[in-house]
């Protein structure tokens, strides 16, 4: 089999790239281990999708097909420091419809999968697993575990932060473990959230409430490893009490809807995101702390920019040439680095228990909150930017 572009990994970023290449002359292959499935009840994997990515998903025909009854807009956001600091954001004050949309991962994954299944220029290779990779001057060759050999002019690694393709290509990564885990779970809350997202910088990590429909919320608690393990081990009733107590019952009593799950957190920087015949996108290209909620937004914008670069190529141009791929790398470098260093810095700023540092960081939140022009400018930068 031969393709112009072979995407390894049909997660959100990989499937979005394939979907964004519809209508062009490129022949696209997608390698994926298993087809996505719908979880029972609510998916604990929840993402905040920025307006820039709502526009992207709309442009590739995805957004309008998502179940609106399972999505919730964020109209306001409250950020609380660990010593009285507070920062508020309002979509209304900024002249926006919403700050972001909260969407289940599986909801987007299934719609993307169904879209690329119907796409005339996409061939799905599923179930399939890569076994060997050779990157030559004229083409790349991927051998699958079942013995099939696939030739492509460009391989796109979209297979996650532990990317097999990235490792096989010999691209080095620098991992900085946070010694924390992200604990996720969904709850029904006693008081209405009014489409407000909440975030608390606590001495035991960063806790976020994200609004879901029907007076429900999803949480992400970036907690030290020991605490995260304790939270996951709690009964549903005890977990609900512990989470509510951590916020002084901001939304009243909670009822656990999905069991808590945890995943380790780390900052990951890659040596390079392109080389001849290869490009990295999504979590294969970068990993950031979840306190900003922008990880998936980075991945979608990787897919958008790379798809635009590839779709604009004249028919005679080779999509795997380094000269073709470098503009993608340059276009994505600034945003990825900015978010990596910003989230890493915020994590380090709020982690120490030093009283002086605590006073300074909470003073900073309060001062920003009292300057509407600066506060709204921060929101508009995030909205107008590509994350």
């Amino acid at each position: 089999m031969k393709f112009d572009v072979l995407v390894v990994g049909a997660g959100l970023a990989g499937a979005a790239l394939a979907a964004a290449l519809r209508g062009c002359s490129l022949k696209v292959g997608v390698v994926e281990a298993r087809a996505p499935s719908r979880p029972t009840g609510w998916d604990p994997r929840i993402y905040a999708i920025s307006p820039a990515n709502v526009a992207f998903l709309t442009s590739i025909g995805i957004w309008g097909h998502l179940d609106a009854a399972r999505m919730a807009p964020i109209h306001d956001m409250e950020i609380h420091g660990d010593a009285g600091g507070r920062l508020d954001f309002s979509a209304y004050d900024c002249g926006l419809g919403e700050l972001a949309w909260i969407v289940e991962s599986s909801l987007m994954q299934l719609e993307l999968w169904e879209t690329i299944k119907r796409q005339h220029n996409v061939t799905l290779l599923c179930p399939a697993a890569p076994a060997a990779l050779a990157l030559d001057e004229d083409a790349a060759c991927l051998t699958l575990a079942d013995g099939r050999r696939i030739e492509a002019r460009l391989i796109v690694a979209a297979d996650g932060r532990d990317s097999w393709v990235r490792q096989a290509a010999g691209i080095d990564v620098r991992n900085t473990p946070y010694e924390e885990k992200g604990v996720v779970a969904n709850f029904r809350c006693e008081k209405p959230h009014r489409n407000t997202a909440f975030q608390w910088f606590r001495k035991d990590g960063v806790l976020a409430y994200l609004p879901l429909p029907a007076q429900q919320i999803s949480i992400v608690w970036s907690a030290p490893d020991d605490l995260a393990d304790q939270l996951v081990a709690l009964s549903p009733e005890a977990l609900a009490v512990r989470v509510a107590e951590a916020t002084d019952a901001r939304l009243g009593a909670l009822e656990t809807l999905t069991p808590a799950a945890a995943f380790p957190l780390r900052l990951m920087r890659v040596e390079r995101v392109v080389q001849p015949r290869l490009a990295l996108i999504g979590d294969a290209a970068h990993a950031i702390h979840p306190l900003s909620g922008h990880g998936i937004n980075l991945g979608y914008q990787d897919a958008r920019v790379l798809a635009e670069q590839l779709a604009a190529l004249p028919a005679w141009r080779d999509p795997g040439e380094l000269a073709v791929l470098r503009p993608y790398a340059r276009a994505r470098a600034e945003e990825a680095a900015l978010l990596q260093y910003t989230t890493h810095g915020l994590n380090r700023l709020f982690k120490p228990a030093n009283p002086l540092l605590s006073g300074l960081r909470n003073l900073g939140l309060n001062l920003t909150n009292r300057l509407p022009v600066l506060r709204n400018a921060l929101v508009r930068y995030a909205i107008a930017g590509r994350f």
Side-chain angles (χ1 to χ4, degrees), residues 69-336:
R70 300 189 72 90
M71 300 158 55
I74 296 178
H75 292 147
D76 300 281
M77 185 169 186
E78 293 181 12
I79 300 175
H80 298 267
D82 57 348
R86 176 165 170 167
L87 183 57
D88 298 282
F89 295 113
S90 165
Y92 178 82
D93 289 346
C94 298
L96 301 168
E98 56 280 321
L99 299 175
W101 282 88
I102 301 301
V103 189
E104 296 165 280
S105 174
S106 58
L107 192 68
M108 294 184 289
Q109 185 67 69
L110 284 168
E111 184 55 42
L112 283 164
W113 184 260
E114 291 302 316
T115 295
I116 60 177
K117 276 174 60 178
R118 299 189 297 266
Q119 210 160 307
H120 77 279
N121 68 328
V122 171
T123 299
L124 290 175
L125 304 169
C126 179
L133 175 66
L135 300 173
D136 298 325
E137 183 178 347
D138 298 324
C141 182
L142 183 72
T143 302
L144 300 180
D146 61 9
R148 286 180 290 176
R149 291 171 58 84
I150 306 170
E151 187 175 299
R153 295 197 289 170
L154 172 65
I155 298 275
V156 178
D159 50 345
R161 61 183 60 192
D162 296 318
S163 169
W164 180 93
V165 174
R166 187 187 64 223
Q167 295 176 40
I171 296 178
D172 290 335
V173 299
R174 289 176 291 162
N175 286 304
T176 304
Y178 285 112
E179 298 181 346
E180 297 175 349
K181 293 186 177 76
V183 179
V184 296
N186 297 333
F187 299 86
R188 183 174 290 108
C189 45
E190 181 184 10
K191 299 177 182 178
H193 52 61
R194 305 187 191 283
N195 293 102
T196 300
F198 304 87
Q199 190 171 50
W200 290 268
F201 286 87
R202 297 168 44 83
K203 291 179 175 60
D204 57 4
V206 183
L207 173 59
Y209 280 10
L210 302 175
L212 293 173
Q215 208 157 309
Q216 299 172 115
I217 60 169
S218 180
I219 73 149
V220 182
W221 192 336
S222 303
D225 288 335
D226 290 345
L227 174 58
D229 294 340
Q230 293 172 23
L231 292 171
V232 171
L234 291 174
S235 68
E237 296 77 15
L239 177 66
V241 171
R242 182 70 176 272
V243 172
E245 287 178 344
T247 67
D248 294 326
R250 181 64 177 80
L251 294 180
L254 301 179
E255 176 189 351
T256 303
L257 299 176
T258 60
F263 52 93
L265 303 181
R266 69 179 190 262
L267 173 68
M268 184 192 75
R269 302 181 186 93
V270 299
E271 179 185 22
R272 57 188 179 276
V273 297
V274 298
Q275 65 182 51
R277 306 289 158 206
L278 178 66
L280 312 183
I281 68 171
D283 287 347
H286 38 64
I288 65 174
H289 197 284
L291 65 85
S292 73
H294 281 310
I296 186 58
N297 291 304
L298 278 175
Y300 276 146
Q301 288 303 309
D302 290 346
R304 179 192 66 82
V305 172
L306 183 57
E308 288 177 355
Q309 298 270 5
L310 296 176
L313 292 176
W316 55 267
R317 198 70 189 268
D318 185 343
E321 290 180 6
L322 187 58
V324 169
L325 300 174
R326 276 177 175 155
Y328 157 72
R330 288 195 297 267
R332 300 302 298 141
E334 180 181 354
E335 181 188 0

